[in-house]
Amino acid sequence: MKIVTYNVNGLRQRVSQFDSLLKLLDSFDADIICFQETKLRRQELTADLTIADGYESFFSCTRTCEKGRTGYSGVATFCRVKSASSSCEVALPVAAEEGFTGLVNSSLRGGKNDTSVIIADGVEEYEKEELLRIDQEGRCVITDHAHFVVFNVYGPRAVADDADRIEFKHRFYDVLERRWECLLRQGRRVFVVGDLNIAPFAMDRCEAGPDFEKNEFRKWFRSLLVERGGSFSDVFRSKHPERKDAFTCWSSSSGAEQFNYGSRIDHILVAGSCLHEEGDQQGHSFLACHVKECDILTEYKRFKNETIPTRWKGGLGVKLKGSDHVPVFTSFDDLPDIPQHSTPPLASRYLPMIYGFQQTLASVLMKRQARAIEVSCSSLSQSNATPSCGEISTGPLRKCSMTCTSLHEESCSLEKVNTTSGGSSDIMCVSSVRAEKDGNKKKVRRIQSSHQLSLKSFFTSKSGSNVSSSSQSSQVETSITEPTVSSKEDDELTTTTSSQEQDQSGSSAQQKNNAALMEWQRIQSLMQNSIPQCKGHKEACVARVVKKPGPTFGRRFYVCSRAEGPSSNPEANCGYFKWASSKFRDK
C-alpha cells in the first residue's frame, strides 16, 4: 500500500497541466493521495476537479471571509478503489470528517443523518466560536481506514512579526494534537501527512542559523517524536537519518530550486502498534513491522515542458510555473481486508454541486411544461423557416435556379388537383404560401437594404434579374452582356485603387512602427543606464517593490538577479541590495 502527500499549489492548475484529474492521480500510482493548498472554494468544486474513475475524493475548503484568505488553503484526499459500495478495501475509508473539531462535519461518529453539533473528543474545553475559527480555513480532512486513521493537514504559516497568525498557529496545533492523542489512547494507529510548514531540525533547512532549532514550533514538532518521548515517528528521517540537502519546498520567486536552496516541511508521521498478535510486543510498531520505504519524489514532473537547468532566468516578472513543493511517499505491506462497507457521506460524489440538488414534484412538472413550450416554439419556427409547397427561395435572386414559368406551372397544378378533389383546405394552403412568399420577399428587401452596397453589387443584381427573365426574351440577354463587361472593368479599377491605398497605409503603418520601436529602444537604454550592477557578479540587478505593509510599503529596490542559493556558491545570488532613488518610488 502506498500513501502520497503533495502540496499542489492550486489543484486546478495541476489538473490542467496533466490534461485531466485522472492522469494527475495515476501519475502517483498510490492508494491514498493527500493534496494540500488546493485553493478551491466550496462553490468551485466541479466534477472535473473532484471525480475520477476508480477514485473516491474527500474535500475540505476554506469557509472564512477574512480578507486575503478567501479561496486560500484547502485539502483533498483521493482514495483509489475498485468499488465504492460493499467493498472490503482498506483504501476506501469507513468514515470521513471535514476538519478536526467536530463542528464542520460529524460523519465520523454520527453518520449522514446526524444533524446534531458534537464537539470532537479532547477539545471540549475550547469555546465553540474559537473552534469554528480554527476549522474554517479548510486545513484538515480525516479519513478512517479501520486499520489506521489519516490526518491530511495543511499547517498554517506564520512569520516572526505576525502575532495574530502565530497565536492562530499555536491554537491550531494544540487542538489538532488533542484530537489525535484521543485516538491514540483508544488504541488507534494514526498517520499525520501533509505540509506542516515546520522544518524540525537544522539539517532540514538550507544554511540554518545557530538559533534555528530554538523556534517554538520546531520544539513542539520534535516533542512529538518517539526519540523525544512522543508517540510519532518521522518516517523519512527514520529511513534516512543522515541524508542532507533533502528538501521538499523551494521559493519559486527567487529560483531557489536551481541550487537546492530549500527546506523540508512536507512530512509523513506515523504512530501506533503493529498488526501482529504475538504476546511480546516489545520492539514492535507499525513503522518497524510494516513500513517498507519513504522518500522524496524529487524527479516528479511538476512543471509543464520543464527544463530544470534553464528554468530560472532571473528578472522581476519571472516566477516558476507549477508547484513549489515535491511529493513525499511511503509504502508499507498490504494489510488484511476489512468488513464490507461503502464510501462515507462526505465523498464528493454526494455533494449537491456534483450530483445535483433534490427536486420537488412541482419543480419537475414546471420544467416539463417549460420544455414542452420550448419544443412547440422551436417546431413553429422551423415550420416557418422550411420551404413548403409552392414556396420559393428567399435568398439572392442570382442564386435562384427556379424560373417564374416553372413556379407558375407548379402552383397551377396544385390548384388543379385541389379543385378536382373538392377540398378547400389545399386551396387555402396555396394562398397562404403566396402570402408567406410576399412576406419573405419583404424580409429579404429589409435585410438587403440594411447592408451598404458596393458598385459591383448594382451590376450583379441587374444581371441576376435579367437572367431570371431570359426565358421570355432573347433580346434581354444581349442587354445583360454589356453591364457584365463593365462590371469586370470596374473590378479591375477598384482592385488597382484599393492596392494603392493599401500600399500607402502599409507604408505609413511601417513608419509608425519604426518610430515606436526607436522610442522604446531609447527608453530601454535610459532604464538600463539607471539600473545598478551587483557587486558579486557585475551584472544588472532586478527591480522589486516592497509589498509588506509598513513605512517602506511600495518603495522600489534593486537586488541581484541570480537565483537564491548557498553563500558558498559563487554562482548563486550574491545578496546585493540597494534602495532605488525617491523618484522611482510608487505613489
Side-chain angles (χ1 to χ4, degrees):
M1 196 170 192
K2 183 178 179 181
I3 298 178
V4 168
T5 176
Y6 182 30
N7 182 316
V8 293
N9 191 21
L11 181 59
R12 192 189 307 276
Q13 291 78 4
R14 300 292 79 74
V15 171
S16 176
Q17 174 188 343
F18 283 82
D19 298 326
S20 71
L21 176 63
L22 181 61
K23 291 181 180 179
L24 171 64
L25 298 174
D26 287 344
S27 66
F28 299 104
D29 188 24
D31 300 284
I32 301 174
I33 304 168
C34 300
F35 289 150
Q36 300 89 42
E37 205 172 353
T38 57
K39 296 183 179 180
L40 293 173
R41 294 178 295 174
R42 202 71 178 176
Q43 57 269 31
E44 294 175 334
L45 295 181
T46 55
D48 60 321
L49 299 175
T50 59
I51 303 299
D53 188 26
Y55 292 87
E56 291 295 312
S57 62
F58 307 88
F59 278 76
S60 178
C61 302
T62 178
R63 300 169 183 266
T64 181
C65 297
E66 187 178 347
K67 184 179 179 181
R69 302 196 180 276
T70 303
Y72 176 71
S73 67
V75 295
T77 299
F78 288 83
C79 303
R80 184 171 61 182
V81 296
K82 297 178 182 178
S83 175
S85 60
S86 301
S87 174
C88 297
E89 300 171 84
V90 177
L92 181 66
V94 298
E97 179 181 355
E98 180 180 2
F100 53 92
T101 64
L103 297 179
V104 179
N105 180 275
S106 59
S107 63
L108 260 177
R109 295 166 307 280
K112 185 175 181 180
N113 299 322
D114 186 8
T115 58
S116 60
V117 177
I118 304 175
I119 297 178
D121 296 335
V123 298
E124 298 87 354
E125 65 182 64
Y126 278 87
E127 295 292 334
K128 178 182 176 182
E129 291 74 15
E130 190 173 9
L131 293 175
L132 282 173
R133 184 174 180 271
I134 293 174
D135 232 357
Q136 68 182 354
E137 292 190 6
R139 294 185 174 273
C140 183
V141 162
I142 305 174
T143 51
D144 187 347
H145 300 265
H147 291 309
F148 54 84
V149 179
V150 176
F151 284 74
N152 179 7
V153 180
Y154 177 40
R157 180 175 178 268
V159 294
D161 56 350
D162 192 341
D164 291 339
R165 293 305 292 177
I166 290 176
E167 180 62 27
F168 177 83
K169 190 171 183 177
H170 271 296
R171 290 196 301 270
F172 178 88
Y173 280 125
D174 183 60
V175 175
L176 188 62
E177 183 179 9
R178 290 168 182 262
R179 183 65 195 276
W180 68 49
E181 286 293 341
C182 183
L183 292 173
L184 291 174
R185 285 195 296 268
Q186 298 173 10
R188 304 299 308 275
R189 305 172 190 89
V190 175
F191 276 92
V192 178
V193 305
D195 175 9
L196 302 184
N197 263 312
I198 300 175
F201 297 97
M203 65 186 307
D204 295 321
R205 177 73 170 92
C206 55
E207 293 190 331
D211 297 333
F212 181 81
E213 294 188 359
K214 295 180 181 180
N215 177 275
E216 51 190 331
F217 294 109
R218 297 186 179 102
K219 290 181 178 179
W220 169 81
F221 188 105
R222 294 193 297 271
S223 69
L224 300 176
L225 304 180
V226 174
E227 51 267 27
R228 300 294 179 95
S231 303
F232 285 90
S233 297
D234 183 348
V235 182
F236 176 80
R237 276 293 167 223
S238 298
K239 297 296 182 181
H240 311 281
E242 302 298 330
R243 183 188 293 184
K244 297 182 180 180
D245 299 329
F247 305 136
T248 64
C249 177
W250 303 265
S251 172
S252 59
S253 60
S254 63
E257 187 181 358
Q258 181 174 340
F259 298 107
N260 194 25
Y261 196 76
S263 57
R264 189 177 71 94
I265 59 177
D266 301 87
H267 304 281
I268 297 179
L269 309 179
V270 63
S273 61
C274 65
L275 273 69
H276 299 152
E277 297 180 356
E278 293 91 350
D280 184 13
Q281 292 291 323
Q282 186 175 2
H284 286 244
S285 67
F286 193 91
L287 173 68
C289 298
H290 300 288
V291 176
K292 294 189 295 185
E293 59 179 329
C294 178
D295 212 339
I296 301 170
L297 297 175
T298 54
E299 301 299 323
Y300 181 76
K301 181 180 178 181
R302 304 177 346 268
F303 303 86
K304 199 167 187 178
N305 301 324
E306 63 176 326
T307 53
I308 294 178
T310 60
R311 215 181 300 153
W312 172 258
K313 297 180 181 179
L316 174 64
V318 175
K319 188 173 183 179
L320 300 183
K321 295 181 179 180
S323 177
D324 50 351
H325 293 248
V326 290
V328 181
F329 83 95
T330 184
S331 62
F332 44 90
D333 296 329
D334 291 335
L335 304 178
D337 290 341
I338 57 179
Q340 282 192 358
H341 61 286
S342 299
T343 186
L346 185 65
S348 299
R349 65 166 59 240
Y350 299 133
L351 292 176
M353 60 281 294
I354 303 300
Y355 78 90
F357 293 89
Q358 185 176 0
Q359 299 177 345
T360 62
L361 183 60
S363 64
V364 174
L365 294 177
M366 289 177 66
K367 288 183 179 180
R368 288 183 178 178
Q369 291 176 0
R371 191 178 297 109
I373 294 173
E374 291 177 0
V375 172
S376 62
C377 291
S378 62
S379 62
L380 180 59
S381 61
Q382 290 177 1
S383 64
N384 292 334
T386 306
S388 56
C389 58
E391 183 180 358
I392 66 171
S393 173
T394 60
L397 292 175
R398 61 179 178 271
K399 294 182 180 180
C400 181
S401 60
M402 299 176 65
T403 61
C404 296
T405 306
S406 61
L407 289 172
H408 178 70
E409 291 175 357
E410 188 175 343
S411 61
C412 291
S413 62
L414 283 170
E415 290 176 357
K416 187 174 181 180
V417 171
N418 296 333
T419 306
T420 56
S421 62
S424 60
S425 59
D426 292 338
I427 298 173
M428 292 174 63
C429 177
V430 175
S431 61
S432 63
V433 166
R434 289 177 179 173
E436 186 177 352
K437 175 175 67 178
D438 296 337
N440 290 333
K441 285 182 179 179
K442 292 180 181 179
K443 291 180 182 179
V444 172
R445 290 195 192 98
R446 269 192 235 105
I447 294 172
Q448 290 179 348
S449 63
S450 64
H451 298 282
Q452 185 176 359
L453 300 177
S454 62
L455 184 62
K456 180 180 176 181
S457 64
F458 288 98
F459 295 104
T460 305
S461 61
K462 185 181 292 184
S463 62
S465 62
N466 290 334
V467 168
S468 65
S469 61
S470 61
S471 61
Q472 298 179 4
S473 174
S474 60
Q475 296 177 357
V476 182
E477 294 178 358
T478 59
S479 65
I480 295 174
T481 309
E482 296 176 359
T484 306
V485 175
S486 63
S487 65
K488 292 181 179 179
E489 294 175 355
D490 184 71
D491 289 344
E492 294 176 358
L493 179 62
T494 304
T495 304
T496 306
T497 305
S498 61
S499 62
Q500 293 177 355
E501 293 177 353
Q502 289 177 358
D503 293 339
Q504 293 177 358
S505 62
S507 60
S508 61
Q510 184 65 28
Q511 292 176 358
K512 291 181 180 179
N513 290 337
N514 293 336
L517 180 60
M518 293 177 62
E519 180 65 19
W520 176 240
Q521 290 175 349
R522 186 185 70 83
I523 294 173
Q524 281 185 322
S525 63
L526 291 175
M527 294 174 62
Q528 190 68 27
N529 294 332
S530 64
I531 295 176
Q533 292 184 345
C534 66
K535 295 183 179 180
H537 310 102
K538 304 300 180 183
E539 297 174 350
C541 296
V542 292
R544 300 193 177 180
V545 178
V546 178
K547 298 181 180 180
K548 185 178 179 180
T552 60
F553 177 77
R555 189 172 178 183
R556 191 178 299 273
F557 60 93
Y558 295 100
V559 294
C560 177
S561 62
R562 295 205 178 188
E564 189 178 13
S567 56
S568 58
N569 189 342
E571 298 298 324
N573 191 297
C574 64
Y576 177 81
F577 175 90
K578 181 182 179 181
W579 286 111
S581 59
S582 59
K583 64 180 179 180
F584 293 110
R585 188 182 302 178
D586 293 343
K587 296 182 179 179

